[in-house]
Amino acid sequence: MRGKGKSTIVWLLMGMLVLGLGGFGVTNFSGGSADIGKVGGVSISSQDYARTLRAEMQDFSARTGRQLTGAEARAMGIDRMALARLYTSAALEAEANRLGVSVGDKAVAEQITGAAAFRGMNGKFDRAVYADVLKREGIRESEFEHDLRMDQARMILQSAALAGVTAPEAVTALTRGWLLETRDIHWQELTAADLPAPIATPDEATLEAWHKANADRFTAPEIRKITYVWLTPEMLEGEVEVDEQALRDLYESRIDEFQRPERRMVERLVFPTLAAAEEAKARIDKGEVTFEQLAAERGLSLADIDLGEVTKAQLGAAGDAVFALDQPGLAGPAGSDLGPALFSMNAILEPVDIPFEQAKADLRVEAAVDRARRVIEDKAAEFADLLAGGASLEDMAKETQMKLGQIDWNAGAEAAPDGIDAYPEFRQHAAEATEKDFPELFTLEDGGVFALRLDKVEPPALIPFAEVRDRVAEDWTRNETRRQLLALAEERRVAAEAAAAPGIEPAPAAATAPVAQAVGAAAGNAASTPQPAAPSAAAAAVVADPGTPETNLARGGFIKGLPQDVVAGAFAIKEPGETEVVDADNRVFLITLDQIRPAAAEGDEAEQIRDGIANRLADSLRQDVFDYFARALQAQSGTTVNQTAVDAVNAQVQ
C-alpha cells in the first residue's frame, strides 16, 4: 500500500507546472524502490517522498517568488514538512483500512474526469491525455486510482474525527466581548510646562559623565574614504551635437504632448428614447434627483459612464451642446452613437499649443542626453580595458572624459541630490568594497559609468565631548525632562486614585531633581545644582482637570495626534476610576478610565463578528484535535523511518 502527503490531484498539477521532475533539479527517482518508512501496514515510497518534497518546494516558490535549492529547502525544514504530511497521511490510511472505510468506483471516476489536468483540446476528459500524464509522472493507472480512493477515504475519516469540534459558546462570547467593548477615558499629556520649576542647567561634569555613559549616542559612524571617477549623460550633454532636423522629427513624433485641442471631462448617461432622456433631465432640473442618482437607479456607477477627456469632435452630435457650457454642468439630451443621452461636464481642460521653437530647448537637452548615453555605452569597453590594464583612477581622469572625485561615505548619511552617492549602484559597491580590491567599471541606472577605490576605513569612534557639547546638553535635558515628567505623572496618578478612593494616601512629592550620579558625576556636583521645589501642589491638578475626554474608544482605534500606545494603555486599565501613566514616543500621558461599555450583543454586525470568531476558534481547535488524532494513530499503528532512503532522496534534490 502507498501513502500520500497531500491530495494526489494537487501534487500532480504542481508537478505538471514544473515539467516533470526537472523543475527543481530533482532527478529521476524511478530507478529505486526503497521505502522511506512505514505506518502500520502502509508503506511510504521514495517516489512519494520525492513528489511531495517537490510540491512543497514549488508551493514555497509560488508564495515567495523565488526558487529554492535542495540545501535551502532542508535548512528551512521543508523536507521535514513533507515527511510529516506523508506520515500523517499514511496513519490515516492505515486507520481507514482497519475500519474498512473506502469509496466506490463512481466517486473515483468523477474525480478523475473532473480534473483539469486530464482534459483534451475540447475541454473534456481525454483518456489518452490521462494515460500520457500518468506515464510522464511514472505512475501506473491502478496505483493512481488506488491513491485517489485512499485520498477520499482519509478525508472521510478526518471529517468524522472533527465533525463534533466546535468553538465553546462561552469562549466565543468572551472573545467577542473583549474585542468589541469600548471605553470612555480622559487623557492628558504632561509637558515641561507642567513641571513645578524649569529643568536645571547641568554643569560640565554632569554633561561629560552623560557623554561617556551614553557613548553610543555620540559615536561617529564608520567612514569609508573613497576615490572615484564617473561619467554621466548629463556631463556630456553640452558637448553633444544635435541637428535641427532631428529635433523637429522628435517634436513631430510627440506632437500630442505639444498640440492638443480643448477638452472636457465628461460622463454620459444613455437612454432608450429621447422622451426618457427628457424626462430624466426634467427630474434633475426640479431637484428630484442628481445625475449620479440617475446612474445608480439604472445599476451603473460613475466609472461605467465616464468618457474621460474628450474633444468636441469625439463627442459627435453632442459636441456643440457640451462645449457650449462655460463651467461644469449638465448638457442634453443630445445624440450619441448609442442613442439619446445626458452629459455631465465636470471640468474644462484648456488647449495645449506649444510651438516647436518653445519646445526646442527641452527637446535638445533630452535628445543630447539620449545621445550622450549611447556615447558612454560605446566607450564603456575602452574604460574597462584601461582599468584592467592597470590605469589608476587619477590616470582615468586625465586620459578620458571621466571626472575624478572623493567622498567620505557612510551608509546612514543622507545623499546629496546631485552627488554620486545618490545612486543605489554606487552605495552598494561602496559598502562592499575592500582596500584590496582593484577598481572596476560599473554602470549607473541612468546610463552613466563609474569606478571606485576604497582608500581607508575609519571605524566608529566616540566624538570628543568638546565637539558635541551642545548635543549632549540637549540630550541630557530631554532625558531629564522625561524623567521628571514620569515622576510627576506617577504622583498625579496616585493623587487621582486617592481622590477616587479616599482610603488611599497620596504619594510623597516626586523626586524631580536631576540625578547626575546615575551617569557617573560626583555627588557634590549634583548637590550643587539648584533643586526645584517639591511639586506637591501640582499633584492635585489631575483631580481638578482630568484632561480631554474620549468616548466610545474602540480596541485598536486611534486618537488623532496621539501615539497608538495611548489607546493600548487605555485598554490595559482594569477598572473604571483607575489612572495609568503611558510613556510613548518620548511623550508622557495620564489616562483615566471612566467607563467600560460592553460589546453590543444584538444586530447584524455583532452576529457577523460572533460567527467569524466562532469559525476561527473552531478552525484552531480542529487543527489541534487533528494533530493529536494523527499522532495517536501513528503511536497506535507503529512508525518506522528509513533514514538512509530519506537521505538518498534529499541528496538528489539539487
Side-chain angles (χ1 to χ4, degrees):
M1 295 184 180
R2 303 168 60 84
K4 292 285 177 269
K6 60 200 305 181
S7 170
T8 305
I9 291 296
V10 172
W11 63 249
L12 179 59
L13 295 177
M14 287 182 174
M16 294 178 65
L17 291 176
V18 292
L19 300 179
L21 296 174
F24 283 97
V26 183
T27 57
N28 187 0
F29 291 96
S30 60
S33 59
D35 292 331
I36 66 165
K38 193 175 188 179
V39 179
V42 178
S43 298
I44 306 171
S45 72
S46 296
Q47 291 94 328
D48 286 341
Y49 176 47
R51 281 189 286 263
T52 305
L53 178 57
R54 181 186 60 189
E56 292 289 348
M57 292 171 68
Q58 184 186 5
D59 180 61
F60 178 90
S61 177
R63 286 185 285 108
T64 63
R66 74 179 186 91
Q67 291 188 347
L68 289 175
T69 65
E72 289 174 330
R74 290 190 291 276
M76 297 173 66
I78 291 179
D79 58 332
R80 295 188 293 277
M81 292 172 57
L83 285 172
R85 287 183 181 276
L86 285 168
Y87 275 89
T88 297
S89 181
L92 290 172
E93 182 173 339
E95 182 67 4
N97 290 335
R98 186 183 72 83
L99 297 175
V101 177
S102 186
V103 296
D105 293 341
K106 181 180 179 181
V108 175
E110 288 176 352
Q111 191 166 355
I112 292 174
T113 56
F118 305 137
R119 292 174 185 168
M121 297 296 291
N122 61 359
K124 298 180 179 180
F125 174 74
D126 189 312
R127 184 68 176 76
V129 172
Y130 173 62
D132 181 62
V133 169
L134 294 185
K135 182 178 179 181
R136 283 190 282 113
E137 289 293 330
I139 307 173
R140 295 190 301 272
E141 291 184 20
S142 59
E143 181 182 290
F144 177 70
E145 290 163 12
H146 166 77
D147 290 340
L148 280 183
R149 194 183 308 275
M150 294 313 304
D151 279 343
Q152 296 192 49
R154 284 189 290 267
M155 290 301 298
I156 292 172
L157 184 61
Q158 180 177 332
S159 298
L162 303 179
V165 179
T166 58
E169 181 58 35
V171 177
T172 300
L174 185 63
T175 304
R176 181 182 61 82
W178 177 88
L179 184 66
L180 296 183
E181 75 172 27
T182 61
R183 298 192 168 197
D184 295 349
I185 66 169
H186 278 78
W187 65 268
Q188 59 177 302
E189 181 176 3
L190 301 186
T191 66
D194 295 302
L195 294 174
I199 300 298
T201 301
D203 57 26
E204 293 300 297
T206 298
L207 292 181
E208 289 178 5
W210 187 260
H211 175 250
K212 293 177 182 178
N214 299 276
D216 57 312
R217 304 184 194 181
F218 310 108
T219 296
E222 176 186 271
I223 299 296
R224 300 172 73 83
K225 293 184 173 294
I226 294 172
T227 300
Y228 62 90
V229 289
W230 64 326
L231 185 64
T232 65
E234 286 75 13
M235 293 178 183
L236 295 180
E237 177 262 320
E239 303 175 16
V240 174
E241 294 294 333
V242 182
D243 60 76
E244 180 92 357
Q245 187 56 48
L247 294 180
R248 290 190 177 276
D249 292 343
L250 181 59
Y251 177 82
E252 291 299 329
S253 68
R254 293 163 50 186
I255 193 65
D256 289 344
E257 297 180 26
F258 306 110
Q259 299 291 329
R260 281 182 286 180
E262 181 181 347
R263 291 147 295 136
R264 303 289 171 96
M265 300 288 291
V266 176
E267 294 162 349
R268 178 184 65 187
L269 189 57
V270 180
F271 293 86
T273 65
L274 179 60
E278 291 174 341
E279 180 184 351
K281 176 67 162 52
R283 292 177 63 196
I284 294 176
D285 292 341
K286 293 177 182 178
E288 296 177 358
V289 69
T290 65
F291 186 82
E292 292 79 5
Q293 290 170 338
L294 273 177
E297 286 179 1
R298 306 180 64 186
L300 299 171
S301 67
L302 294 181
D304 296 327
I305 60 177
D306 186 18
L307 298 181
E309 301 177 12
V310 292
T311 64
K312 185 175 181 179
Q314 288 174 324
L315 287 172
D320 289 337
V322 173
F323 275 73
L325 297 173
D326 57 4
Q327 61 183 354
L330 195 65
S336 74
D337 52 356
L338 297 178
L342 293 179
F343 295 83
S344 175
M345 191 273 286
N346 303 312
I348 299 174
L349 304 178
E350 298 297 331
V352 177
D353 183 14
I354 303 175
F356 170 74
E357 292 302 327
Q358 184 178 341
K360 181 179 177 181
D362 291 338
L363 289 174
R364 191 219 163 272
V365 171
E366 185 177 334
V369 168
D370 185 62
R371 185 161 296 181
R373 190 177 294 112
R374 293 196 297 271
V375 169
I376 293 174
E377 184 179 353
D378 292 340
K379 291 188 175 185
E382 175 189 341
F383 297 159
D385 289 342
L386 286 171
L387 289 170
S392 68
L393 299 185
E394 291 75 10
D395 294 335
M396 295 292 293
K398 293 176 182 178
E399 300 175 15
T400 71
Q401 294 168 293
M402 300 187 78
K403 308 299 182 184
L404 184 69
Q406 291 183 320
I407 185 172
D408 291 346
W409 181 82
N410 75 80
E414 184 175 352
D418 56 350
I420 191 171
D421 54 335
Y423 290 91
E425 297 86 357
F426 174 84
R427 296 196 299 271
Q428 175 187 344
H429 290 290
E432 297 172 352
T434 69
E435 294 180 61
K436 297 180 180 180
D437 292 340
F438 291 100
E440 297 180 55
L441 193 72
F442 301 109
T443 303
L444 297 169
E445 61 184 357
D446 63 356
V449 292
F450 75 99
L452 62 83
R453 179 184 68 228
L454 178 62
D455 299 321
K456 182 181 179 182
V457 176
E458 294 184 353
L462 180 64
I463 304 173
F465 171 74
E467 296 180 19
V468 291
R469 185 197 178 284
D470 290 344
R471 279 178 52 194
V472 174
E474 181 183 344
D475 189 67
W476 183 93
T477 301
R478 183 168 51 249
N479 184 79
E480 181 63 18
T481 301
R482 175 173 167 272
R483 186 187 73 80
Q484 292 194 27
L485 286 176
L486 286 172
L488 178 60
E490 181 62 24
E491 183 182 355
R492 289 192 176 188
R493 182 191 69 79
V494 174
E497 293 187 353
I504 301 177
E505 291 294 331
T512 55
V515 186
Q517 297 91 328
V519 295
N525 291 331
S528 65
T529 304
Q531 304 294 314
S536 55
V542 71
V543 178
D545 179 17
T548 304
E550 189 73 29
T551 59
N552 288 316
L553 181 63
R555 190 182 299 275
F558 69 94
I559 303 174
K560 185 177 180 180
L562 301 191
Q564 198 62 27
D565 286 347
V566 172
V567 176
F571 279 86
I573 302 174
K574 295 181 179 179
E575 298 292 339
E578 293 183 359
T579 300
E580 289 295 336
V581 178
V582 174
D583 180 13
D585 296 347
N586 289 317
R587 299 164 68 184
V588 177
F589 299 88
L590 274 175
I591 305 171
T592 300
L593 177 61
D594 299 326
Q595 182 180 358
I596 298 176
R597 297 180 183 273
E602 305 296 333
D604 293 341
E605 182 179 1
E607 285 300 313
Q608 290 176 2
I609 293 175
R610 190 200 70 80
D611 292 343
I613 292 171
N615 291 336
R616 271 196 297 272
L617 288 173
D619 288 343
S620 178
L621 288 171
R622 291 188 190 104
Q623 183 61 54
D624 291 342
V625 170
F626 178 72
D627 288 343
Y628 296 140
F629 179 58
R631 292 176 188 177
L633 290 180
Q634 292 179 45
Q636 172 185 299
S637 302
T639 301
T640 60
V641 179
N642 183 349
Q643 191 60 47
T644 301
V646 172
D647 293 341
V649 174
N650 289 340
Q652 295 182 70
V653 179
Q654 305 302 322

